Amino acid sequence: MPRRLDLVTIVLTLGLSALVSAQRYFQGFGYEPTIRNVPYVGRFTFARLKYTSGPGGYYYRGMPAWAHGYDHAEQNLTRILDSISAVHPRLDGSNVFTLDDPRLDEFPVAYMTEAGYWELTDKEAAGFRAYLKKGGFVIFDDFRPPPRGGEGWELFEANMRRVLPDAQIVDMDPKDPIFHAFFDIDSFDILPQAYDTSSPVIRGIYDQTDPGHRLMAIINFNTDVSQF
C-alpha cells in the first residue's frame, strides 16, 4: 500500500508540474532568444525591432512576439537578396534593436513582426519617430485580427499614432512604384496565405502624408510574408 501511495504522489506531482509549466507558457513566461548583434560595416544588414510583448504574445514556442521567425526570416531574406540582386547583404549575422536604441540609425531598413502584441513606451515612441523622420524605413509583417493576432490592427494603429501623430495610413495599390522597382507585382493575390484567412491587406505610411513623398513604412496585415 505505501508503494502505491508513493506512485500516486509521484504522478500527481508530475501532473501539477506540467500544469504549472503550461500555465506559465500560455501566460507569457517564455524565453528570450540569444541575440548576437554584428557591428556596422557599411553593408546591408537585417535589423529586427524588439519590443515588450503584450498578453498572449508568447504563444509560439514560448518566444516573445517580436522574435517569431527569428532568425530564420532574416537568413532567408538576405540569402535571396544575395542571390538575385547586387545588394550582397551581410550573411554572417543580423541585428536586433529596441525602438529607442541609437544604433538603429545605422541601419536604414527595420523589420517588426506580430505588431498586434506590441507594447510601446513614450521613450520608444520618440526614438522610433526620430528614426523614421531621419530616413528610416520599416516593414511590419505577420499580424492579423484577434484573437490569434493579439489586439490586431487597433493596437497597431494606436501605437503608430503615438509614433507619428499626423501620419495617414493608406491602402496601397499594386500600381504603386514600389511594386515595380524590381519585380512587377500586379496583384496582391499572388501572396500565398499559409494560415491566414481571406486576402492580405498591404498599407503604407508616407512622409508628409503625401504618396508623392518617401514611403516610410509598409504594413503587411493579415498575412505572413516572412513565412515564405
Side-chain angles (χ1 to χ4, degrees):
M1 187 68 175
R3 293 183 61 185
R4 184 176 179 182
L5 288 175
D6 289 343
L7 180 60
V8 171
T9 301
I10 292 171
V11 170
L12 287 173
T13 300
L14 291 174
L16 287 172
S17 298
L19 179 60
V20 170
S21 297
Q23 289 176 337
R24 287 172 60 85
Y25 177 87
F26 285 107
Q27 290 174 1
F29 293 90
Y31 70 93
E32 292 281 328
T34 301
I35 297 171
R36 296 184 178 88
N37 283 357
V38 294
Y40 175 77
V41 293
R43 295 173 62 192
F44 177 84
T45 304
F46 194 108
R48 181 183 289 254
L49 297 175
K50 177 182 178 181
Y51 57 88
T52 298
S53 297
Y58 287 76
Y59 72 86
Y60 180 73
R61 297 182 179 178
M63 300 174 70
W66 69 261
H68 291 182
Y70 179 76
D71 62 347
H72 301 298
E74 27 272 88
Q75 290 180 20
N76 290 339
L77 177 62
T78 52
R79 288 171 183 170
I80 291 170
L81 284 174
D82 189 53
S83 297
I84 67 174
S85 76
V87 174
H88 300 307
R90 189 161 187 170
L91 300 177
D92 61 343
S94 61
N95 288 328
V96 177
F97 300 112
T98 59
L99 286 80
D100 57 344
D101 191 324
R103 294 174 297 173
L104 181 61
D105 289 347
E106 298 175 348
F107 302 89
V109 180
Y111 172 85
M112 180 188 287
T113 189
E114 295 281 9
Y117 297 100
W118 173 22
E119 292 193 352
L120 179 69
T121 67
D122 290 342
K123 184 171 180 289
E124 290 169 336
F128 196 32
R129 181 186 312 116
Y131 169 76
L132 294 172
K133 290 290 188 180
K134 288 177 183 177
F137 174 73
V138 59
I139 302 166
F140 294 100
D141 187 44
D142 187 16
F143 72 115
R144 53 202 50 81
R148 190 154 184 246
E151 296 184 48
W153 182 264
E154 287 72 19
L155 176 66
F156 168 78
E157 185 173 14
N159 281 337
M160 286 308 298
R161 296 296 176 204
R162 294 173 61 193
V163 175
L164 298 170
D166 299 326
Q168 292 184 12
I169 303 174
V170 299
D171 289 329
M172 299 194 71
D173 188 285
K175 295 179 181 178
D176 290 333
I178 194 171
F179 300 114
H180 302 278
F182 192 84
F183 292 113
D184 283 319
I185 300 174
D186 297 314
S187 172
F188 298 149
D189 292 337
I190 67 171
L191 292 175
Q193 297 283 71
Y195 42 78
D196 290 296
T197 58
S198 69
S199 300
V201 177
I202 311 298
R203 292 174 174 145
I205 299 175
Y206 292 90
D207 192 18
Q208 301 182 42
T209 68
D210 184 350
H213 286 75
R214 177 177 65 90
L215 183 66
M216 304 170 71
I218 191 166
I219 306 150
N220 306 324
F221 181 66
N222 196 47
T223 190
D224 185 357
V225 175
S226 65
Q227 179 81 9
F228 304 97

